[in-house]
Amino acid sequence: MDERWKHVLRQRIRELGRRYEEARHAYWEGKEDAERERDRSGAKRYDLPADEDGNARLVCRRYAERRPVPVDRKGRPACFEPDHPDCEGCREDIRDGTVETYDDRTSTTH
């Protein structure tokens, strides 16, 4: 094989490699976006009041403040810290349907 054909073949292989990496990157990026979107749907799954972005309107047990946060499919708010008693209690309350929530006017126990 002469040098010209080797050069053309190397260029083609590099181009195929770049396209493969672009497709691979797009696949993983799309998969992560889908997982994030699925995780955001926790407010709907646990029948919690949500804002326009789909974040659950929870009253934080740890800091005693109103907080709109995404809730994952396992019932953990985004602010969840493992092994913290208030966070563990909040997660259990979300799963049991007894978590304190709020709307624009008041706090309620859901």
Side-chain angles (χ1 to χ4, degrees):
M1 191 183 278
D2 69 346
E3 290 301 313
R4 186 171 152 292
W5 283 109
K6 286 181 183 178
H7 178 71
V8 169
L9 187 57
R10 275 192 297 261
Q11 283 182 322
R12 286 293 195 190
I13 290 172
R14 281 190 211 116
E15 178 63 27
L16 288 172
R18 278 192 290 271
R19 286 186 182 185
Y20 171 77
E21 282 302 314
E22 289 172 1
R24 187 171 167 255
H25 178 74
Y27 169 80
W28 286 110
E29 189 173 74
K31 187 172 180 174
E32 289 172 0
D33 288 346
E35 288 175 359
R36 274 194 297 272
E37 189 61 35
R38 187 176 60 233
D39 287 347
R40 286 182 146 232
S41 65
K44 290 179 186 175
R45 176 178 295 211
Y46 292 99
D47 195 30
L48 299 170
D51 64 10
E52 60 278 351
D53 294 327
N55 296 319
R57 295 179 177 199
L58 302 178
V59 177
C60 178
R61 294 174 76 171
R62 185 173 182 181
Y63 297 106
E65 65 184 13
R66 293 177 176 190
R67 166 182 296 201
V69 293
V71 175
D72 69 12
R73 63 181 176 260
K74 294 180 180 177
R76 296 176 302 200
C79 55
F80 178 78
E81 290 185 27
D83 301 325
H84 191 282
D86 288 336
C87 293
E88 292 288 343
C90 181
R91 181 184 63 180
E92 290 171 13
D93 287 352
I94 289 172
R95 290 177 178 173
D96 295 341
T98 59
V99 68
E100 187 174 359
T101 61
Y102 70 95
D103 61 19
D104 291 332
R105 298 171 303 279
T106 62
S107 292
T108 59
T109 300
H110 186 79

